[in-house]
Amino acid sequence: MKIRLSHADGRPLYVQIMDAVRSGLVRGSLRPEDPLPSVRDLSSSLRVNPRTVSQAYAALERDGVVQVRHGKGTFVAPGVRPEETERPRLAREVARRALADASRNGLGLADLMTALREVEGGGVHGDGSKEDGR
């Protein structure tokens, strides 16, 4: 499981960790019963306080995404169904961030929807250039 944290991201680090776990479930890189890195290992690799990882794992446990097995570690919950729970939750979070970013830049929902359709249709690249290179 690869997790990249950004201090420039407006979300707290523990939320970024939670979203990375949820994203792994949606993408299929994490499956029910898979082990997660230990708090110590993950905090060391991410260079964050272990309490940050513990906070993320505790919130994921409250949400039913992971299970803590004392003496064994933290595992993806056996009954988690990414398509039913995590995909919609992740999509809502991405939508919230996109709307907030659009609003900070003076754009409304209609502007954002138009741009999303253009980008999805292949007519415009992420940098604003068109398919023909202009």
Side-chain angles (χ1 to χ4, degrees):
M1 174 177 74
K2 285 189 177 183
I3 296 178
R4 289 200 173 106
L5 301 180
S6 171
H7 293 283
D9 187 322
R11 297 172 300 150
L13 296 175
Y14 84 95
V15 172
Q16 292 181 50
I17 294 169
M18 291 172 62
D19 285 350
V21 171
R22 288 188 167 110
S23 181
L25 286 165
V26 169
R27 286 190 329 270
S29 60
L30 281 176
R31 293 185 176 85
E33 303 280 349
D34 280 354
L36 296 180
S38 71
V39 168
R40 181 180 294 172
D41 288 345
L42 188 56
S43 66
S44 175
S45 70
L46 295 176
R47 296 186 177 151
V48 298
N49 190 304
R51 283 188 224 146
T52 302
V53 176
S54 292
Q55 186 177 11
Y57 281 6
L60 287 167
E61 185 176 28
R62 279 192 305 275
D63 290 347
V65 177
V66 302
Q67 284 183 335
V68 175
R69 298 178 189 161
H70 296 286
K72 296 187 181 191
T74 303
F75 297 81
V76 176
V80 73
R81 291 182 170 50
E83 291 302 315
E84 294 175 15
T85 58
E86 298 313 310
R87 181 174 292 278
R89 186 185 311 232
L90 189 61
R92 282 190 303 274
E93 183 56 36
V94 169
R96 275 189 204 101
R97 288 195 309 263
L99 281 170
D101 195 34
S103 178
R104 279 193 301 276
N105 287 287
L107 302 171
L109 177 60
D111 300 313
L112 185 58
M113 294 300 293
T114 299
L116 284 169
R117 286 187 187 101
E118 288 174 354
V119 171
E120 181 187 40
V124 178
H125 295 288
D127 63 1
S129 65
K130 300 215 179 224
E131 282 294 320
D132 61 8
R134 288 186 239 156

